[in-house]
Amino acid sequence: MSDAAATVQTAFHFLAWDDIVRRAWIRSTPRLLSATVRAYARLLRHADLSCLARVPHGSRVALFLPALALLIVPLLAGLGAGAIALGLGRPWLAPLLVLVVAALLALLLGGRAHVGWIVQFLVFNDALAAGQADPALALRLDRFAETIDRALPEDAEWDEVLLVSHSNGAILAAEVTARLLARHGGALPPRLALVTLGASLPMLGARRDARGFAQTMATLAQGRFAWLDIGSPTDGAATPLVDPWLGQPPPGWPGWSSFRPAGSRSAIRPPMPRGARTSTSPILIICAGSIAPHRSITWA
């Protein structure tokens, strides 16, 4: 980009973790149904329901939609078909009808409204909450922090560095930011800002068993850095209109200000630098500056 006054050079660095997601992605339908049952059982046992009540209605619907589509509705329909078989004097047919009707309906509903995609992230986040995530993920987050840190020294070529995340990637961006705060004594350089788009942080933060993530959010609450969070009320897969701590930040939280641009809600802590840009990538670094030549930064 250039104008009559200055030339600005921008570099985009994608922080890839899709290989970890692919390893965690469950492709077997029976395994996925089993994992879904376990994930919902732990969610109901460990979720702080008073916190979940603060989440927008659409987000709660998205959270429990897979349970309805893959478990409850198919099971009730199967039991209904079995009851009809019993009423017709065909007891031998009842178990078969229960299994067939439930399986077919689960497959049919699972392909609608992104149910299969939502349940995969439900299972993934359940593993995060339980401390059972792929060990490679923690190592990857360490590398992400190292990558960003290399762009932050006073003599670095970049005037501005944005860490941009989308959807579930915001959970990992929070973890990376906590690592950076630890490296910088709790206060990040003003040239760095965190941008979260369509984040779902409270959905994990509302779980009492997610102790590691709770510590991460406490670290962020105590830290000093720029954070822009943007969410749309129409995005059921995110948690717009609420702060990441669901209105119960840890002591020492410096405060939260918000505004609503074009029907969406954004919150800033503290104000962002001029020229902030956003992206819908899972995790992305944007480095902008007037210094040439371009230098690429990679995490590997």
Side-chain angles (χ1 to χ4, degrees), residues 10-171:
T10 303
F12 297 83
H13 307 277
F14 288 88
L15 303 177
W17 59 292
D18 55 295
D19 56 319
I20 295 175
V21 173
R22 284 196 297 270
R23 287 199 298 270
W25 203 268
I26 302 174
R27 293 170 175 79
S28 165
T29 299
R31 283 187 57 221
L32 181 60
L33 290 175
S34 176
T36 302
V37 171
R38 293 194 302 272
Y40 273 112
R42 283 195 287 262
L43 174 65
L44 294 175
R45 185 166 68 250
H46 296 294
D48 186 332
L49 298 182
S50 64
C51 286
L52 283 181
R54 301 187 186 97
V55 173
H57 174 70
S59 302
R60 294 197 300 272
V61 170
L63 178 63
F64 291 102
L65 179 62
L68 289 172
L70 298 179
L71 302 175
I72 298 175
V73 172
L75 180 59
L76 291 177
L79 291 174
I84 293 175
L86 290 175
L88 295 175
R90 301 286 195 278
W92 57 270
L93 185 59
L96 180 62
L97 279 178
V98 170
L99 292 175
V100 171
V101 171
L104 290 177
L105 194 56
L107 289 173
L108 176 64
L109 296 178
R112 303 292 181 90
H114 305 291
V115 169
W117 180 84
I118 295 174
V119 78
Q120 293 280 1
F121 277 97
L122 172 74
V123 173
F124 184 86
N125 288 343
D126 178 65
L128 286 178
Q132 299 173 355
D134 188 336
L137 182 60
L139 297 176
R140 189 68 56 83
L141 296 176
D142 290 339
R143 292 183 178 182
F144 289 170
E146 293 172 2
T147 296
I148 298 170
D149 213 19
R150 290 200 294 270
L152 298 182
E154 290 293 336
D155 58 350
E157 62 178 310
W158 305 113
D159 301 319
E160 179 183 24
V161 179
L162 301 181
L163 172 59
V164 184
S165 64
H166 172 247
S167 189
N168 222 55
I171 294 174

Side-chain angles (χ1 to χ4, degrees), residues 189-237:
R191 67 163 57 89
L192 173 66
L194 170 64
V195 180
T196 50
L197 305 173
S200 54
L201 297 169
M203 305 304 279
L204 189 58
R207 292 186 55 152
R208 288 185 291 266
D209 59 334
R211 298 180 183 88
F213 186 69
Q215 181 58 50
T216 293
M217 295 305 295
T219 299
L220 267 57
Q222 300 291 339
R224 302 298 306 181
F225 65 102
W227 182 355
L228 173 64
D229 179 68
I230 302 175
S232 170
T234 60
D235 184 359

